[in-house]
Amino acid sequence: MKTIINKKKLIVINLFLVIVLMITSVAAWFVSAYSNSVYSNEVKVRADGALELSVTGNDTDFHSSINLSDYNWFKNAKFSDVTGSGDGNFVRPALTQYPDYAAVNTSGTWSTPSVSTDTTEGDYVKFTLYMRSEDPMDIYLGEDSSVEPSVGMENLINTTTQTFSGDLIVGALRLSACTSGTNTRMFTWIPKPEIFVSDDASQRSITFSDISVNKTSGASYTHSYYDSSKRKQSATLNVLTGDITSSSRIKLATLSKASESDKYYTGQVDMYVWLEGCDNEARRAFVNGKFLVNLNLEAQDPNA
C-alpha cells in the first residue's frame, strides 16, 4: 500500500551509518605501516518503511536496513592521511617527521590516494546511496546527525592529565556529498571543528590541555586543505560545521520517477568519508583512532 505522508510533519528517516575505525601501530605519528579493522556489528544503515536504501542500486538489494560490513569496499578502507575539498580529487601529502610532530612538506613528493574497492585497500571511502519510495520526497541530511569518539566527547575534553588520545581523530573526520556521477560537491561537513590542536612549538607535548575546544573560528571551521598543486586552500562556501540544525540541514536529493509507469520515485547521491591529514589533530591522532558516524536523513513531502 502506498505510504501516506503527513504534510504537516517531517517523516524522519534514521539512517545510521556507523563507521568504527581502529588504527594500530608501534610508531608515534603518521606512519604508513599500520593496520586497521572494522567491526561488522557496529556498521549499520537503517531506514523506516517509507524509504528504502541501497548501496548497490540493484532492484533486489533495497532494504529497510543495511549492514555496511557486508561490503568489501568498506572492509578494505584503511583511512590514511589525505587532503582535499571533498569533490573526489584527493592528494596525499609528503610529511616531515619530528619526534612528536609531523609537518606538511610542500617540497616533497606527493602521491594520489586510492579509493577503497571490493578487491583493493584504499585511503578513503566513496559510496553511492540509492534511495527509493512509492511517494515523492525531498531527502535531507538533517538534525541528529553526529560524529563521536568511542569514549565520549566529555571525557576527552575534561581530562587534562592523560596523554593525547587517538579518539580525537573525530576532529579530522570529513564527510562530503556530491551530485551523483559528476563530483559536483554539494557540501563538506566538519562535525567537530572545535577540536583543533595548535602547531605552536611550546604545545608539542601533545596532551589534552594543548587542545583548544569550543572554538568559533579558525582553520578547522574554514576547512583548510591542499590542492593537487600543493597549495593550501581555505574553503568557506558550502561547508557545514558542528551540529546540523533545522536551519542548516542540506537537501541531498529529490526523488522522482523516470516515467509515470515506474513504481518508485528514486534518487541517489555520492558520498565521501575521509580523514583530513593536513589538520593538526589528524597528524597526532591516527594511532588507535576511533570514530562513530551517525547520519540522520529527513524526508519531507515536497508539496508540504
Side-chain angles (χ1 to χ4, degrees):
M1 179 180 296
K2 189 173 181 179
T3 304
I4 300 176
I5 298 179
N6 187 337
K7 294 185 178 181
K8 296 182 179 180
K9 297 181 179 179
L10 292 179
I11 302 176
V12 180
I13 296 97
N14 290 323
L15 166 60
F16 292 103
L17 165 61
V18 180
I19 304 175
V20 177
L21 167 67
M22 178 177 289
I23 302 174
T24 58
S25 173
V26 296
W29 315 115
F30 235 16
V31 291
S32 59
Y34 58 76
S35 62
N36 65 285
S37 57
V38 179
Y39 294 97
S40 60
N41 61 348
E42 294 180 287
V43 183
K44 301 175 182 177
V45 181
R46 297 175 182 169
D48 71 10
L51 183 69
E52 292 182 304
L53 306 169
S54 171
V55 291
T56 68
N58 298 330
D59 285 341
T60 58
D61 199 29
F62 278 85
H63 307 284
S64 60
S65 64
I66 303 172
N67 191 333
L68 291 187
S69 64
D70 292 338
Y71 300 95
N72 286 331
W73 53 264
F74 189 85
K75 296 176 182 178
N76 287 333
K78 62 182 181 181
F79 289 104
S80 61
D81 45 301
V82 303
T83 186
S85 69
D87 63 358
N89 296 311
F90 294 104
V91 291
R92 188 172 189 184
L95 297 169
T96 300
Q97 297 281 144
Y98 298 97
D100 58 359
Y101 175 63
V104 174
N105 179 4
T106 56
S107 298
T109 300
W110 291 32
S111 60
T112 302
S114 60
V115 63
S116 179
T117 72
D118 284 340
T119 57
T120 60
E121 287 188 341
D123 301 293
Y124 61 94
V125 163
K126 174 186 178 181
F127 65 97
T128 300
L129 181 64
Y130 299 89
M131 300 160 282
R132 74 182 188 186
S133 171
E134 293 186 13
D135 295 303
M137 291 182 178
D138 287 338
I139 309 299
Y140 296 84
L141 178 65
E143 296 179 79
D144 297 327
S145 295
S146 66
V147 171
E148 301 296 340
S150 63
V151 300
M153 203 66 183
E154 67 283 354
N155 295 323
L156 297 178
I157 302 302
N158 295 331
T159 305
T160 59
T161 58
Q162 301 180 31
T163 57
F164 190 89
S165 171
D167 289 298
L168 284 167
I169 195 68
V170 295
L173 188 133
R174 303 286 185 263
L175 182 144
S176 68
C178 294
T179 303
S180 187
T182 68
N183 271 354
T184 300
R185 185 176 64 93
M186 298 179 188
F187 65 87
T188 295
W189 182 32
I190 306 174
K192 297 294 180 185
E194 69 273 17
I195 301 177
F196 190 77
V197 182
S198 174
D199 262 350
D200 189 280
S202 65
Q203 296 188 10
R204 292 181 189 168
S205 57
I206 312 170
T207 64
F208 284 98
S209 60
D210 298 330
I211 301 165
S212 299
V213 297
N214 299 321
K215 293 171 65 67
T216 58
S217 62
S220 286
Y221 273 82
T222 56
H223 182 34
S224 295
Y225 65 95
Y226 286 79
D227 62 19
S228 58
S229 299
K230 304 179 183 179
R231 295 173 300 189
K232 193 171 185 178
Q233 306 289 323
S234 184
T236 56
L237 297 176
N238 299 323
V239 175
L240 296 175
T241 55
D243 296 333
I244 297 174
T245 66
S246 58
S247 60
S248 67
R249 66 180 186 153
I250 295 291
K251 184 192 291 188
L252 295 176
T254 295
L255 304 189
S256 61
K257 286 185 177 182
S259 67
E260 280 301 317
S261 61
D262 291 342
K263 179 180 180 181
Y264 295 105
Y265 294 84
T266 62
Q268 61 193 69
V269 61
D270 291 340
M271 307 194 83
Y272 292 92
V273 180
W274 77 99
L275 297 179
E276 179 50 61
C278 292
D279 270 18
N280 302 315
E281 57 269 24
R283 296 199 296 266
R284 293 167 172 80
F286 265 62
V287 178
N288 294 322
K290 303 176 184 178
F291 57 81
L292 174 66
V293 178
N294 297 308
L295 300 183
N296 181 55
L297 297 193
E298 296 178 353
Q300 181 177 351
D301 181 349
N303 298 313

